[in-house]
Amino acid sequence: MNFDFTGNDATVAMSGDFTFTDHAAFLELMNRLFATASVPIVIDLAKVEFIDSAGLGMLLIARDEASKASRQLTLRGPQGQVKRMFAVTRFETLFAIES
Amino acid sequence: MFGLGQKRRERPAEPLAPAGAAAERAADAAPAQDHQRLLQRWMALADMQQRVIATLAAEIARTSDFVETEADSLSLRFQRLADSAQKQTSRVDSLTDLAMGIEVEGESVRIEAVAKLFEGTLSEVVAKILLLSKDSMSMVYALDTLGASVQNVGQCNTAIDVINSTLNMLALNARIEGERAGAAGAAFRVVANEVYELSKTVKTLAATMKTEIKAITDGIMTSHDTLKRVATVDLSDNIMVKERLEVLLKALVVRNSGLEVVVADAVRESEAISADVTGMVTGIQFQDRTKQRLEHVVDTLQVIGKALEEIRSSTTREVPELAAATETDLGWIKDLLSRYTMSDMRERFVAQILEGKPVDWGDASAGEGTPSSSGSMELF
């Protein structure tokens, strides 16, 4: 998984596969996102091609952290397998998801 | 009509010059003879009419019996058909229950409810998978943090080793200086010995700590590896099974709805058939009325026949010469019988009317409705 920060580090665009092996990188990514000032956090998933259950679990941890920090977390542009996984797990009831 | 006029004889021509009483009597007798012949023909016609009436009455009675028998048989068949239609309606009705749901422990559960239960259960499973994934990753992060802390403790242990080494060197130097000072260095030697003992104790403690930290680190690593194996079990396929099952369940519900419509149509059609057949059973009872009417007709014909017989008998009694045999006018009878298309009926009429034989009805139903092979049986 690769990622690029934009918008004062409050938005990150991920790409590639998002799986268990990315947990260390995702922790770093989260720390950087939550270190920003109190603006909405956006994780852009438009270029993520595959997500496994560990990836979903990491997003849920990010959600918990956002909730603790009273920050809004938005997932943007899921496509393909990621979009289907979100639909099956009804992620729209847990996250704000932008098309 | 009836050929009565056809047999009328031409009156003899008037003589050109009638002469005397004989001629006058002869002239008076000629009309009387014509009248007598005419009356004889009426008598013959009455006799024939009697036979025709008797034959017709018998034919009607026989036909009535035949209709009654056939109608009863038909009614019985329709009744069986009605019963079958009723049973079929019940079966189709029970098919509705089967189409609408399945029986579970004696309770009927609708397919929609089954699908909803499946969907609910799958949603719960998926939710638990998500929770498991999240908790696994939380534990991975917690173990990562713990590992880092233990690593820090290990680094502290290294620092303790360095301090202990310095302390050991300090004790050794104090001992050397104490020896060098002689008696005055006794106190130094005591302190040096204490510091040395302290250094040994710290060294032992540090070694124990190192051993324990290594055990903890090994435990964390083992736990991390174990958790990694748990967390890396990709459950995304299992999650996607829900998607597939949802599609299948929707298809099942749609199919079930279609089946319900078809079965409902079948029930309606079956009920309509049942009602129609029941109506037919009722309608087939017409033979009761038909039989009554035919009995009236037969009764009427018999009364007419008796009236004819009575007038013929009284005429014969009063005027015996009118009962003299005369040639029967068969023309109209032949015309009538030639119109019959049913050979058995024609044969009975020939036997009874023309030949005056008693008719053997035989099997009541034999030959009924069987048209004759016209031309193959020439009776006249």
Side-chain angles (χ1 to χ4, degrees):
Chain A
M1 187 259 290
N2 296 312
F3 55 89
D4 290 313
F5 279 88
T6 56
N8 297 326
D9 284 357
T11 299
V12 64
M14 295 167 60
S15 59
D17 294 350
F18 182 28
T19 61
F20 175 82
T21 54
D22 301 309
H23 75 277
F26 188 73
L27 181 63
E28 181 191 336
L29 181 152
M30 286 223 311
N31 288 335
R32 193 165 160 185
L33 281 173
F34 283 98
T36 57
S38 56
V39 288
I41 296 168
V42 178
I43 300 177
D44 192 332
L45 300 164
K47 291 184 178 173
V48 174
E49 295 169 359
F50 177 81
I51 188 168
D52 66 359
S53 49
L56 295 174
M58 284 185 266
L59 289 176
L60 288 171
I61 290 171
R63 174 176 171 270
D64 287 351
E65 291 302 314
S67 178
K68 281 180 202 167
S70 299
R71 303 282 296 274
Q72 185 185 333
L73 172 61
T74 301
L75 304 180
R76 180 181 290 164
Q79 304 290 326
Q81 185 264 359
V82 179
K83 189 175 182 179
R84 285 171 61 204
M85 285 288 274
F86 282 10
V88 172
T89 54
R90 304 199 64 192
F91 250 37
E92 79 280 0
T93 63
L94 306 171
F95 290 89
I97 298 177
E98 290 180 358
S99 299
Chain B
M1 188 168 185
F2 296 122
L4 293 177
Q6 296 170 5
K7 296 293 183 179
R8 181 186 291 266
R9 288 188 175 179
E10 293 296 325
R11 292 186 67 176
E14 291 289 333
L16 292 176
E24 285 178 3
R25 279 197 300 274
D28 291 339
Q33 284 175 350
D34 283 349
H35 291 164
Q36 185 174 341
R37 224 170 3 260
L38 198 57
L39 285 172
Q40 282 175 332
R41 290 185 64 200
W42 270 108
M43 291 290 283
L45 178 62
D47 183 54
M48 186 59 70
Q49 280 178 333
Q50 262 188 290
R51 292 188 194 181
V52 169
I53 286 169
T55 307
L56 281 176
E59 193 68 28
I60 289 169
R62 180 172 185 268
T63 304
S64 175
D65 288 344
F66 173 74
V67 169
E68 186 178 19
T69 305
E70 287 301 308
D72 282 346
S73 169
L74 209 55
S75 179
L76 195 64
R77 288 176 193 168
F78 271 121
Q79 189 59 56
R80 281 203 294 266
L81 199 59
D83 291 343
S84 297
Q86 191 61 46
K87 285 175 186 166
Q88 192 67 5
T89 303
S90 300
R91 284 192 206 102
V92 175
D93 222 9
S94 65
L95 198 60
T96 309
D97 294 336
L98 288 175
M100 285 168 70
I102 56 173
E103 194 165 309
V104 181
E105 295 177 349
E107 189 181 342
S108 181
V109 182
R110 288 182 65 86
I111 295 295
E112 289 86 347
V114 173
K116 204 168 182 177
L117 181 67
F118 264 116
E119 196 176 347
T121 306
L122 287 170
S123 295
E124 282 179 19
V125 169
V126 167
K128 283 175 182 172
I129 289 174
L130 281 182
L131 186 64
L132 182 68
S133 300
K134 190 183 87 169
D135 288 348
S136 295
M137 293 315 297
S138 293
M139 286 177 72
V140 167
Y141 283 127
L143 284 177
D144 283 346
T145 306
L146 189 60
S149 298
V150 170
Q151 203 172 4
N152 289 338
V153 173
Q155 284 170 357
C156 290
N157 213 33
T158 305
I160 288 170
D161 282 345
V162 172
I163 292 168
N164 199 40
S165 178
T166 305
L167 197 62
N168 202 23
M169 285 299 293
L170 187 64
L172 186 62
N173 287 335
R175 173 87 185 220
I176 291 169
E177 290 302 323
E179 289 297 331
R180 191 176 293 162
F188 273 109
R189 287 196 294 276
V190 171
V191 172
N193 282 336
E194 287 301 318
V195 171
Y196 180 70
E197 288 302 318
L198 184 64
S199 170
K200 279 205 306 188
T201 305
V202 170
K203 187 178 180 182
T204 304
L205 194 61
T208 305
M209 281 178 65
K210 200 179 284 181
T211 305
E212 292 300 321
I213 287 170
K214 187 175 184 311
I216 291 170
T217 306
D218 289 347
I220 289 172
M221 291 304 293
T222 305
S223 300
H224 195 276
D225 289 345
T226 305
L227 199 54
K228 183 179 177 182
R229 280 200 300 275
V230 173
T232 51
V233 172
D234 183 16
L235 297 173
S236 54
D237 285 344
N238 304 71
I239 292 172
M240 295 311 283
V241 165
K242 179 172 180 273
E243 184 186 52
R244 183 66 183 153
L245 281 175
E246 280 177 351
V247 171
L248 289 175
L249 287 172
K250 277 179 188 166
L252 184 64
V253 169
V254 168
R255 189 219 64 151
N256 193 58
S257 300
L259 191 61
E260 272 188 54
V261 171
V262 171
V263 170
D265 286 347
V267 168
R268 274 196 298 278
E269 289 295 325
S270 193
E271 285 172 348
I273 291 170
S274 186
D276 284 347
V277 172
T278 304
M280 285 174 174
V281 172
T282 308
I284 209 76
Q285 304 303 324
F286 74 90
Q287 96 277 6
D288 286 343
R289 293 193 301 278
T290 305
K291 188 178 182 185
Q292 284 177 22
R293 286 174 185 165
L294 291 176
E295 281 172 354
H296 291 326
V297 172
V298 169
D299 192 38
T300 305
L301 287 173
Q302 284 172 344
V303 167
I304 292 170
K306 280 180 185 172
L308 280 171
E309 170 59 21
E310 190 181 326
I311 196 164
R312 196 181 68 84
S313 299
S314 59
T315 303
T316 303
R317 245 187 346 264
E318 297 295 329
V319 193
E321 57 271 28
L322 288 180
T326 185
E327 186 184 349
T328 305
D329 184 2
L330 295 178
W332 65 275
I333 294 288
K334 288 180 179 178
D335 284 346
L336 174 65
L337 294 181
S338 67
R339 296 177 195 168
Y340 288 3
T341 55
M342 298 182 71
S343 60
D344 61 324
M345 187 175 169
R346 190 161 57 192
E347 284 169 10
R348 284 196 296 275
F349 268 62
V350 169
Q352 195 158 6
I353 297 171
L354 300 182
E355 298 168 3
K357 294 177 183 174
V359 176
D360 177 17
W361 292 99
D363 182 3
S365 61
E368 287 293 348
T370 308
S372 68
S373 51
S374 180
S376 65
M377 181 177 285
E378 183 52 58
L379 295 175
F380 307 104

